[in-house]
Amino acid sequence: MATPFKVFRDNQKILMVVFGALLMVAFVVLPPILQFGFFSQQTADVRGDVVVVVDQEELYRPDIDNLVNKYDIVARVMAEAIGRSLILQGSPKAPMPPIPGLRIVPASQQNPGGPQFMPVGAEEAVLYYAWVKKADELGMVVDDESVREFMRESSGGRLSDYDYNAILSAVTGGQGGPGLNYDYFFEMLREVLTAQKLQALVFRDGRVVTPGSAWVAYRNMNRTISAEMFPISSKDFMDQVGSPSSAQIEELFNKYKHQPANPAANQIGFMQMDKISLAYVKGDINNFVEAAKSGITDEEIAKYYEENKDSFRKPQLPSAEPETTQEAAPEEPAPMTEEKPATEEAAPMQEATEPASEEPAKEEQPADEMKKEEAPAEESKEESKPEPPAEEKPAEAPATEEKPAEEPAAEDSSQSTRQSDVQLVSFLQDEAEEPAADDKPAEEAPMEDAKPEDKPAAEAPMETPAAEDTAASDAAPDAPATDTPMSEAPVEYKPLAEVQDQIRTRLAQPIAQEQMNEALAEIRGVLQAKYEEFRYLETPSKKSPYDTDEIERLATSMGLSFGAMPLMDFYQASQSALASEAVHVDYTFDQTSGLRTINRSMIAEAFQTNSPLFQPRLFPGASQSSMMFRQNIQAEVQYVFWKTEMQDGYAPKLDDVKDQVVEAWKQQEAGKLAKEAAEKLAEQVKSKEDLNKAATEKMAEVIVVENITYFNQLSGGQGLSLGTIPGVEDVSQMTMEALFSAPVDSSTVAPNAGEDVYYVAFITAEAETNQQLRDNMMAAIQGTLPASVSQYASQEENLVTRAILLDFFDPKRIDWKIDPMDLESRS
């Protein structure tokens, strides 16, 4: 009888071939199959509930762990490779777009920078896996050479395949086991690169500005238009919208159940966000000023008035000119009675110049001195020549212009303000002589002959009385000597009785500030003491350690006020009255950006800080301004606030938010009907008359706006803010884009931010045509785009990328059955 061993011996060669082939399959094929979860011990029978559905593919907890481990290993290996390349003086290229789990930290004075591994979360891993599936769906392929090129660039060409294999062994030694070989890592990296290449196609680089985007940016920043419009509201169509079916309700809920609602961004969502409620004590300096004013004495007010009298000067108004000319009028009554016609002004002007040139000579009697000076004056022609041109030049210009007599005065007054104090008197003498030259240019020749009489008048500068100059200016109303009374007018101060209340408030301000600070510090101390007792209780409690009535009575007795904010999420709280009141602005300055403002909000800080329940905090607290702005700047309104309740966010069930889902569906459908109605009307509007007719039929009021701009310039050069349209609420970038992309004499439909009101608009005028704007843009380029245009265009590119993402990645493609935050907390 044949034994099994005899059969084996007879068929030894055949069996050896079969067993050898099986061993080859076991060593080559089985490891990837068995290791597809990195030696996960779970089997298909014990996978548990479905965690998430990605494009109809159900993923369980072991599947999520596999994805997380896979992306973690790739990120750790690449981070180690980049780090070793830097040590070897290589120039590694950071992955762009970045891969999950790998972050490149920029170098700074405190940190040398470099690659940093960040553990991949479940939500991030599933989202990246969705990119992989999308790339496979589009047929994208990453070949072996592309993978090797990525490895070379990431290591700066300093590492070989053997180096990567060594890094892989070091990284996976504690968790991957000996079965995770280099070939399998190569396939893992290929999968990561497939998603990365697809992201590179979708994510637009905002640093690259195309000519088209540059033109749109320049147009939006420089175009000014006028328009007429009227609204079409979705509220008018709510009665035309029925009730959604169960399938429609479930579809809308599944699409937005993991997205929080944001009314400010017109974002639908049913995800319940974290919520908090607050209580606060408010201190307002105005409540302390009145009490502090009663303690300010009249003596203190009078002392402050005398010490700071210059700050209470009366403003020097232009109306002071006639008063000074009237004071000089009694000395020369004749010119005051002259008529306005130019033919009758010549005589008095001539008479006015004669005493101006003769009287100084009679008073000083410098006959001998003048004879001595006359000879050298004749010998040195350079000294005698400048004076006649000084009289002739102003005489020739006004001679051709008789009517606009005030224009030379304006020019001369602007020049006189630039003269120094030393030259003021001689300058006024020249002005006093100019009127005669203006009206009598023929008399310039005789003046050259009368050297003994005329030159002393022109060379006796500092002792010439000012009254004579003013008399000359009064005699000739056209003479540009009107600045003399302004410069010599006595300084007038506001009387003490007029400013005493202002001074009293100013003196009470620092006293009130100190009293308010002391009151807030005292009540904060009371709250802190109670909080410390609560903090160290043996058995933790969620019951408030504060007696609300007691805190309110204490605050009222100290001149403070007490308030509370109910349980709200961040978006709800941001639209509350407290959010608009509890704000503060700090200022900072740097060499690159200049003066910048730091807008702070108590609501934002309450949500952003991880302060525990009932811990009292001060707002605005310590100033965040630069040192140069920090001195003597204290907030006039301050708060001591604390959290009274906190509620974690969660993914709701349909029954919890069914009413919200139905309301959101109705608003969406009503908005669609309003948009369709507005677009039909816009097609019929060809002129302003058509627009007014359509508005009358709809019983809507026409809004007329003129010279509106897409943006407004913020103060301090801090950039641009969206422009405003008088009469239009909730203006958004969609509103502006619809209006400013439309040409003149055309109609358009502009939605508001909530897309629940659509404006039928007709563009009536523009400050510059598109061709003029293009010419201006080409002139402004000068080899490169203006910085403001590049910055705005980059922002537009980011908006386009976000729009593509929202359209490309429909939220319902990833349907979480278990909250990913709960998933990570269990791991």
Side-chain angles (χ1 to χ4, degrees), residues 409-566:
E411 295 174 0
D412 291 340
S413 63
S414 63
Q415 294 174 359
S416 64
T417 57
R418 294 191 293 266
Q419 298 295 332
S420 64
D421 294 336
V422 177
Q423 298 176 348
L424 181 60
V425 176
S426 61
F427 181 76
L428 292 176
Q429 288 177 353
D430 293 339
E431 287 182 337
E433 295 175 1
E434 284 175 8
D438 292 342
D439 295 336
K440 296 271 185 180
E443 295 182 8
E444 292 174 358
M447 290 180 67
E448 294 179 358
D449 298 335
K451 293 179 182 178
E453 296 178 2
D454 295 341
K455 284 187 178 180
E459 295 176 359
M462 295 300 183
E463 299 180 2
T464 303
E468 295 174 1
D469 293 334
T470 57
S473 63
D474 292 338
D478 295 340
T482 57
D483 279 349
T484 307
M486 294 293 293
S487 60
E488 296 182 358
V491 177
E492 296 185 9
Y493 301 96
K494 297 178 181 178
L496 177 59
E498 181 181 340
V499 297
Q500 62 180 355
D501 190 61
Q502 178 184 350
I503 296 175
R504 191 184 301 274
T505 302
R506 190 178 299 179
L507 292 174
Q509 197 84 8
I511 300 174
Q513 186 77 52
E514 184 178 357
Q515 291 175 349
M516 184 186 72
N517 293 343
E518 291 176 355
L520 286 170
E522 182 177 346
I523 201 166
R524 188 184 182 191
V526 172
L527 295 170
Q528 186 67 33
K530 292 183 178 295
Y531 171 73
E532 293 298 330
E533 295 177 2
F534 164 82
R535 181 182 179 186
Y536 294 105
L537 289 176
E538 294 182 0
T539 57
S541 174
K542 290 187 177 181
K543 184 180 179 182
S544 175
Y546 312 125
D547 185 344
T548 302
D549 296 334
E550 179 184 350
I551 296 297
E552 186 173 3
R553 285 193 299 269
L554 179 61
T556 304
S557 65
M558 301 173 67
L560 307 172
S561 59
F562 176 82
M565 184 191 79

Side-chain angles (χ1 to χ4, degrees), residues 633-665:
I633 297 180
Q634 297 188 41
E636 297 183 353
V637 179
Q638 299 186 33
Y639 296 82
V640 175
F641 70 95
W642 59 95
K643 299 176 183 177
T644 57
E645 185 179 357
M646 292 191 297
Q647 187 180 93
D648 294 334
Y650 64 95
K653 298 185 181 299
L654 178 57
D655 294 337
D656 299 336
V657 293
K658 187 173 182 179
D659 293 340
Q660 299 179 26
V661 177
V662 172
E663 184 65 22
W665 184 89

Side-chain angles (χ1 to χ4, degrees), residues 112-128:
Q116 181 179 4
F117 166 69
M118 305 287 291
V120 180
E123 190 171 7
E124 183 182 5
V126 171
L127 178 61
Y128 205 79

Side-chain angles (χ1 to χ4, degrees), residues 353-362 366-367 370-371 374 387 391 433 446-460:
T353 55
E354 292 177 357
S357 60
E358 293 176 358
E359 288 183 5
K362 292 180 180 179
M370 287 178 58
K371 290 179 181 179
E374 186 174 348
E387 292 182 5
E391 298 174 356
E433 295 175 1
M447 290 180 67
E448 294 179 358
D449 298 335
K451 293 179 182 178
E453 296 178 2
D454 295 341
K455 284 187 178 180
E459 295 176 359

Side-chain angles (χ1 to χ4, degrees), residues 9 20 121 145 168 186 204 211 260 276 280 315 324 375 379 404 445 496 506 559 583 595 597 646 653 745 748 797:
R9 285 194 299 269
E145 183 58 32
L168 176 64
F186 197 87
R204 306 177 68 172
I276 64 172
Y280 59 88
T324 56
E379 294 173 0
L496 177 59
R506 190 178 299 179
V583 293
L595 180 65
T597 59
M646 292 191 297
K653 298 185 181 299
D745 294 333
T748 184
E797 293 293 333

Side-chain angles (χ1 to χ4, degrees), residues 712-723:
N712 293 331
Q713 178 69 48
L714 292 175
S715 60
Q718 298 184 78
L720 303 173
S721 66
L722 196 64

